[in-house]
């Protein structure tokens, strides 16, 4: 198993540009989520999905879109990048239900918005 | 989710046991104690979780006090690769209506040679 993979590892954007952060898992996990991590702020939940076709907002969803067309993939779209979105982004997945808390995290995408 | 309190940092000698404490005095009866760690520049890694009985797996042991107000994560033979920030998280086991894992500031464990 590759586990949770994220691409790209690093990205530099200019203000106003859009891009998609990719996340994939090969463990047939129901639950997937996106977090961002900023210095001194801990990890904050952006969006999550409890299964294909089902997504919902976390605590900091503004400026981001997600979709879940397959069980394996959960891309995060930045619509119009802003410097405040400079962060490290982590994708996570788990079996859901009673094993929800045993989450597998990807290696992260380090995004800089100029 | 119940609030947790952890020391900011701890040191441990390589090969010795590392005992990381966590206070969670407001824990509810259906809330579990989860431990994660984050090695520098990597994604968080799930370690172990438990409700009230002590738990052990290949990575660590979790000791929960009888009143469940505190717990200790034990790394039995710490190595340099165990240097990381360790997070204690308290929440219900299923996603339920709150799908957020709340990572606080955690404890920076430094394993010294």
């Amino acid at each position: 198993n590759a586990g949770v993979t994220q691409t790209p590892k690093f990205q530099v954007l200019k203000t106003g540009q859009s891009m998609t952060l990719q996340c994939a898992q090969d463990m047939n996990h129901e639950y997937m989520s996106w977090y961002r991590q900023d210095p001194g702020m801990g990890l904050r939940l952006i969006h999550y999905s409890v299964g294909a076709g089902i997504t919902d907002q976390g605590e900091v969803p503004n400026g981001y879109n997600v979709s879940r067309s397959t069980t394996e993939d959960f891309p995060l779209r930045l619509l119009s990048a802003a410097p405040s979105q400079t962060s490290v982004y982590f994708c996570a997945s788990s079996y859901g239900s009673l094993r929800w808390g045993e989450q597998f995290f990807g290696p992260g995408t380090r995004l800089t918005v100029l | 989710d119940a609030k947790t309190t952890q020391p900011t940092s701890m040191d441990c000698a390589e090969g010795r046991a590392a005992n990381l404490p966590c206070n969670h005095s407001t824990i509810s009866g259906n809330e579990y104690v989860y431990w994660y760690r984050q090695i520098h520049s990597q994604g968080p890694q799930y370690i172990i979780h438990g409700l009230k009985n002590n738990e052990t797996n290949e990575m660590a042991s979790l000791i929960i006090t009888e009143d469940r107000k505190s717990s200790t994560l034990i790394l039995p033979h710490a190595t340099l690769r165990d240097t990381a920030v360790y997070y204690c998280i308290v929440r219900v086991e299923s996603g339920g209506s709150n799908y957020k894992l709340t990572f606080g500031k955690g404890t920076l464990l430094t394993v010294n040679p």
Side-chain angles (χ1 to χ4, degrees), chain A:
Chain A
N1 285 349
V4 179
T5 57
Q6 292 184 237
T7 56
K9 287 187 169 55
F10 300 93
Q11 183 70 49
V12 178
L13 292 177
K14 294 181 179 178
T15 296
Q17 288 184 315
S18 62
M19 79 159 294
T20 299
L21 281 61
Q22 301 291 344
C23 174
Q25 51 88 13
D26 60 358
M27 297 172 282
N28 201 32
H29 283 170
E30 296 176 30
Y31 176 84
M32 296 186 74
S33 61
W34 278 99
Y35 287 85
R36 59 178 289 175
Q37 185 172 34
D38 305 298
M41 296 289 291
L43 281 88
R44 293 183 290 171
L45 181 65
I46 305 172
H47 284 285
Y48 65 91
S49 168
V50 299
I54 306 170
T55 64
D56 208 342
Q57 297 181 350
E59 59 182 320
V60 288
N62 292 340
Y64 307 95
N65 271 358
V66 292
S67 60
R68 183 103 178 264
S69 56
T70 67
T71 299
E72 294 79 18
D73 301 297
F74 191 45
L76 178 72
R77 298 182 186 86
L78 278 69
L79 308 172
S80 177
S84 61
Q85 294 179 303
T86 293
S87 188
V88 182
Y89 291 84
F90 291 104
C91 178
S93 72
S94 74
Y95 285 105
S97 188
L98 294 180
R99 295 189 65 183
W100 174 89
E102 301 172 44
Q103 296 197 20
F104 294 77
F105 282 78
T109 293
R110 283 145 186 82
L111 175 68
T112 301
V113 182
L114 304 175

Side-chain angles (χ1 to χ4, degrees), chain A residues 31 33 35 37 40-43 45 48 50 59 90 96-108 110, chain B residues 34 36 38 40-46 49 87 91-105:
Chain A
Y31 176 84
S33 61
Y35 287 85
Q37 185 172 34
M41 296 289 291
L43 281 88
L45 181 65
Y48 65 91
V50 299
E59 59 182 320
F90 291 104
S97 188
L98 294 180
R99 295 189 65 183
W100 174 89
E102 301 172 44
Q103 296 197 20
F104 294 77
F105 282 78
R110 283 145 186 82
Chain B
Y34 287 85
Y36 278 75
Q38 187 172 23
H40 182 61
S41 297
Q42 297 182 20
Q45 178 187 22
Y46 164 81
H49 77 285
Y87 299 97
R91 61 153 297 133
V92 295
E93 190 175 38
S94 67
S97 60
N98 175 4
Y99 285 91
K100 180 178 67 174
L101 269 179
T102 302
F103 289 82
K105 296 191 183 302

Side-chain angles (χ1 to χ4, degrees), chain B residues 36-90:
Chain B
Y36 278 75
R37 73 179 182 183
Q38 187 172 23
I39 297 169
H40 182 61
S41 297
Q42 297 182 20
Q45 178 187 22
Y46 164 81
I47 301 173
I48 198 168
H49 77 285
L51 181 63
K52 53 184 177 181
N53 297 321
N54 297 339
E55 302 287 346
T56 296
N57 63 19
E58 65 278 5
M59 289 184 67
S61 294
L62 174 61
I63 308 298
I64 303 174
T65 58
E66 193 168 341
D67 63 7
R68 303 210 319 123
K69 291 179 187 276
S70 65
S71 60
T72 300
L73 179 74
I74 300 172
L75 308 178
H77 305 287
T79 71
L80 299 180
R81 289 175 294 179
D82 292 321
T83 292
V85 177
Y86 287 77
Y87 299 97
C88 170
I89 300 168
V90 171

